[in-house]
Amino acid sequence: MAGTARGLIEVHDFCLRYETMEGAVDAVSDVSLNVQPGEFVSIVGPSGCGKSTLLNALAGFLTPSGGTVTVDGEAISGPSADRGMIFQQYSLFPWKTVRENVEFGLKMKGVSRSERERRARTLLGLAGLTPFENHYPDRLSGGMKQRVGIVRALATGPRILLLDEPFGALDAQTRLIMQQILTNMWQRLKISVLFVTHDIDEAIFLSDRIYVMTARPGGIKAEVAVPLPRPREPSMTLSSEFLGLRRGLMSLIREESIRAMGGEVSLDSLKGLAINLEGQDLSAVL
Amino acid sequence: MEAALRQLPETVPALTLPAEAPAKAKAGPAPLPAVPTDRVARWLRLHRGQLRAMALGLVSIAIFVAIWQLLTVNRATFYVRFTNVPSPADVLDRAILAFHNPIFGEHIWMSCRRIVYGFTLASSVAIPLGLLMGRFQILREIVFPICEFTRPIPAIAWVPMAIMLWPTNEESIVFITFLGSFFPILINTLQGMATVDPVLVRAARCLGAREASVFREVYLPASLPQIFTGLTVGMGVAWVSLIAAEMISGQFGIGYFTWEAYSLVQYSDIALGMITIGVLGLGSSFAIRVLGRIVMPGGTAR
Ligand SMILES: Nc1ncnc2c1ncn2[C@@H]1O[C@H](COP(=O)(O)OP(=O)(O)OP(=O)(O)O)[C@@H](O)[C@H]1O
Ligand SMILES: [Mg+2]
């Protein structure tokens, strides 16, 4: 079952088009990328370029309008516990305790209660969550919630882990700790990770490779390898290598962000804004 | 009645014992007896809000009774006439008499039984139906129109129809109670299903949950708080409908008792009946709240 390739993600000429009342929206067009087994790959790109759309297709929630999306050579036909996903929003079940949340995937697999409990305890221990195993999610901080989310997704032993801006809502300090915890777990479990983020530093710090996406309709603008050695330390963010990568990625993304803004902000929408804010017509001011 | 009185001293210590026992057990081995007093102080501090609310509640009830007493004893008339209204003392006298009379207990028992039947039936139909309607749009599209035009008909308006439909009076009253609680429960269950956070459903799917599991593990628990809102509202409407039905067509039942008291010019019994209905209504919504606590542990479900 494990085979030689465990967690090889291949995306070829992937397109996704949303049908809406206003017409078809091309969210992603002709994206090709891959994640090798055990590799950590990030995607960065301007807001609305289709990063979540791509991850949702990989998770099995969306069917490609064109192209192919495969994991270990098999086309994706629907959501599965083989592909763990961490969402932009917190998604713990509020009516379950931390441990019950972590056990959920195993319960769905039909694992016995005692075995579930044992495995959940082990993973919670690794993530430093043992003292909170009987807490309900509403008593956890944001960082802890995402940590539980990651542990929950890993509990079923997925081949790949998809993360959609998981640390976007966390403060800088918590974010650093979470990055280290994630790196730690990834290295231990040797799974493939596809990580979406807005934060360039985060992408460099975590990844083996980074894909930069273009503004909508999203495509791949560049692919950047991160040759920093592992294990990585927070002090590396000050090294000249890191800063060089950062500068390069910054300029790539700035171009796209400006394009994204230019494409979306029309005079009409500005007019509406002016009326709302100042109570007078924009043309009168101009 | 005497038997009940004799039981009282036995139950009182039995109730207070568990609360005191842990404190005593801790104080025994601990060198400092400060632990239990500390806990009492903490309890008082954490529950200060509730204690104040309770104290104020008692005071306001006392004031209400006092005003009632004043108005009735002085036979006040200022457009509203208190000349025939019984005083609290009269009602208390009647209550003591009534509680000695097994007939009164029979009235209460009949009403409670009708509520239990009607309400249980309504919940066991409305909750599953609401869950399924929330999940399957087709079913919603079929059933909802029927609901929409039967819902505005008050349960009381069904009384003549119910009497024609059902072979016995008892069944028609239970039917009225059922109708009264059915719609609030159904509508709230539907509402609960509509507000389930879709990201939780997707998270469950990503963890390998199939249709039935998603239903059981996500949709149901996520809708529970709203379902319990429906049960609370439904219980209230069930009592409204029951009392109305009993007044119109009952033999026995606390609604019948109240109406009968008016016909027999037993004015104190009218107030006694009303107060009993209030207490029963309060008790049943309390029971639902307790059930909610048991079903939704931690009180965290949103
Ligand atoms: N259900 C939908 N129907 C129509 N258009 C959609 C839908 N979902 C997303 N879009 C559009 O597709 C584009 C890509 O959306 P997506 O959420 O994938 O972007 P993103 O890169 O994840 O953005 P962000 O960084 O803000 O999360 C956006 O322009 C969005 O408006
Ligand atoms: Mg997104």
Side-chain angles (χ1 to χ4, degrees):
Chain A
M1 180 65 199
T4 43
R6 235 186 102 76
L8 170 66
I9 304 174
E10 288 173 302
V11 179
H12 285 295
D13 301 331
F14 169 74
C15 298
L16 203 126
R17 162 177 295 196
Y18 289 109
E19 296 294 341
T20 66
M21 283 302 292
E22 290 75 38
V25 178
D26 282 309
V28 180
S29 77
D30 292 325
V31 164
S32 294
L33 57 79
N34 64 77
V35 180
Q36 298 302 312
E39 201 182 14
F40 199 120
V41 173
S42 290
I43 298 177
V44 294
S47 188
C49 73
K51 304 180 295 290
S52 300
T53 303
L54 180 61
L55 278 203
N56 278 324
L58 277 165
F61 293 117
L62 296 169
T63 329
S65 317
T68 56
V69 178
T70 62
V71 171
D72 293 336
E74 286 172 39
I76 289 161
S77 61
S80 143
D82 280 346
R83 282 164 274 124
M85 177 132 174
I86 313 293
F87 299 88
Q88 226 165 334
Q89 314 92 302
Y90 301 127
S91 63
L92 298 183
F93 304 122
W95 52 85
K96 287 182 186 288
T97 63
V98 165
R99 181 155 54 78
E100 286 165 348
N101 263 286
V102 173
E103 285 180 16
F104 185 83
L106 297 167
K107 189 174 173 187
M108 294 302 106
K109 272 192 166 177
V111 176
S112 75
R113 182 183 287 264
S114 57
E115 177 62 15
R116 271 189 340 237
E117 204 172 309
R118 197 185 62 74
R119 281 205 238 170
R121 285 231 164 89
T122 312
L123 277 168
L124 285 170
L126 281 179
L129 288 164
T130 306
F132 308 100
E133 63 171 326
N134 292 321
H135 283 31
Y136 283 93
D138 69 341
R139 287 180 55 195
L140 302 181
S141 68
M144 275 194 242
K145 281 184 200 164
Q146 279 314 50
R147 236 190 297 170
V148 177
I150 293 171
V151 170
R152 183 177 69 175
L154 292 173
T156 50
R159 282 180 284 179
I160 65 176
L161 191 61
L162 309 165
L163 300 103
D164 190 354
E165 295 184 42
F167 310 145
L170 306 179
D171 63 84
Q173 281 309 313
T174 314
R175 190 182 268 244
L176 266 179
I177 296 165
M178 293 297 293
Q179 288 165 2
Q180 278 174 321
I181 291 172
L182 178 62
T183 312
N184 215 318
M185 295 211 125
W186 163 68
Q187 281 176 328
R188 240 174 232 270
L189 300 168
K190 298 188 168 55
I191 61 171
S192 318
V193 175
L194 190 55
F195 188 94
V196 166
T197 178
H198 267 128
D199 183 337
I200 294 169
D201 289 343
E202 182 169 75
I204 302 172
F205 185 74
L206 292 172
S207 319
D208 297 321
R209 269 188 306 134
I210 300 170
Y211 287 101
V212 181
M213 283 182 76
T214 62
R216 202 180 83 195
I220 300 294
K221 184 183 178 76
E223 180 190 335
V224 179
V226 181
L228 297 174
R230 290 189 191 270
R232 295 182 183 162
E233 304 293 337
S235 61
M236 282 183 186
T237 53
L238 299 172
S239 71
S240 60
E241 232 177 339
F242 191 100
L243 293 173
L245 279 166
R246 185 168 195 264
R247 222 176 353 258
L249 283 164
M250 276 289 203
S251 66
L252 283 170
I253 290 176
R254 188 168 306 125
E255 274 173 38
E256 288 310 316
S257 298
I258 290 168
R259 268 202 355 156
M261 297 291 281
E264 277 172 18
V265 183
S266 65
L267 189 64
D268 280 349
S269 61
L270 271 182
K271 260 186 195 163
L273 209 67
I275 289 163
N276 280 340
L277 292 177
E278 320 201 22
Q280 61 186 122
D281 199 339
L282 188 66
S283 51
V285 183
L286 284 175
Chain B
M1 183 59 197
E2 268 178 52
L5 267 176
R6 243 182 278 118
Q7 267 171 8
L8 211 61
E10 282 169 30
T11 52
V12 168
L15 275 172
T16 48
L17 199 62
E20 278 175 2
K24 271 182 191 155
K26 275 212 177 109
L32 290 170
V35 180
T37 47
D38 203 42
R39 302 199 90 202
V40 170
R42 177 193 293 271
W43 190 91
L44 285 176
R45 203 166 57 241
L46 288 173
H47 294 79
R48 199 159 45 188
Q50 279 127 293
L51 287 173
R52 197 189 69 170
M54 213 185 288
L56 280 179
L58 287 175
V59 170
S60 73
I61 290 174
I63 292 173
F64 176 83
V65 173
I67 293 173
W68 174 13
Q69 176 78 18
L70 274 175
L71 288 171
T72 48
V73 168
N74 297 318
R75 305 199 174 278
T77 40
F78 45 94
Y79 196 69
V80 185
R81 298 151 300 152
F82 285 88
T83 28
N84 285 327
V85 175
S87 72
D90 297 337
V91 177
L92 190 65
D93 286 343
R94 288 298 296 178
I96 290 166
L97 267 178
F99 280 110
H100 282 286
N101 187 344
I103 304 287
F104 187 68
E106 187 79 358
H107 283 304
I108 293 179
W109 161 244
M110 289 300 281
S111 288
C112 289
R113 204 179 67 176
R114 288 163 180 161
I115 282 287
V116 168
Y117 285 165
F119 183 77
T120 312
L121 269 173
S123 345
S124 49
V125 177
I127 295 174
L129 183 64
L131 291 173
L132 290 171
M133 280 168 72
R135 193 72 197 87
F136 303 106
Q137 193 161 357
I138 296 264
L139 189 66
R140 189 162 61 240
E141 283 159 2
I142 295 171
V143 180
F144 208 66
I146 306 174
C147 292
E148 277 305 271
F149 96 92
T150 41
R151 195 158 60 104
I153 305 170
I156 309 155
W158 277 89
V159 171
M161 185 67 79
I163 295 171
M164 286 194 292
L165 277 171
W166 298 91
T168 69
N169 222 342
E170 197 58 28
E171 282 163 339
S172 56
I173 294 177
V174 170
F175 178 66
I176 300 293
T177 315
F178 166 87
L179 279 177
S181 44
F182 182 81
F183 289 110
I185 301 174
L186 179 71
I187 299 298
N188 277 284
T189 307
L190 269 174
Q191 185 67 27
M193 286 296 281
T195 50
V196 174
D197 187 351
V199 82
L200 296 181
V201 177
R202 296 205 296 157
R205 291 242 156 85
C206 271
L207 291 163
R210 309 229 166 257
E211 186 62 43
S213 310
V214 172
F215 201 85
R216 194 183 57 239
E217 300 277 350
V218 182
Y219 280 108
L220 179 62
S223 327
L224 270 184
Q226 191 76 45
I227 292 177
F228 269 90
T229 306
L231 290 177
T232 313
V233 177
M235 182 55 96
V237 185
W239 275 104
V240 172
S241 317
L242 173 82
I243 299 303
E246 283 179 345
M247 283 186 167
I248 296 172
S249 73
Q251 299 144 346
F252 281 115
I254 196 69
Y256 170 79
F257 171 86
T258 308
W259 189 253
E260 190 71 352
Y262 176 70
S263 317
L264 299 176
V265 206
Q266 291 287 355
Y267 294 139
S268 297
D269 280 352
I270 296 179
L272 176 61
M274 287 167 65
I275 293 169
T276 311
I277 293 166
V279 170
L280 290 175
L282 201 67
S284 39
S285 58
F286 178 74
I288 288 178
R289 216 173 316 146
V290 170
L291 185 68
R293 292 250 173 85
I294 296 168
V295 176
M296 299 179 288
T300 51
R302 257 156 291 153

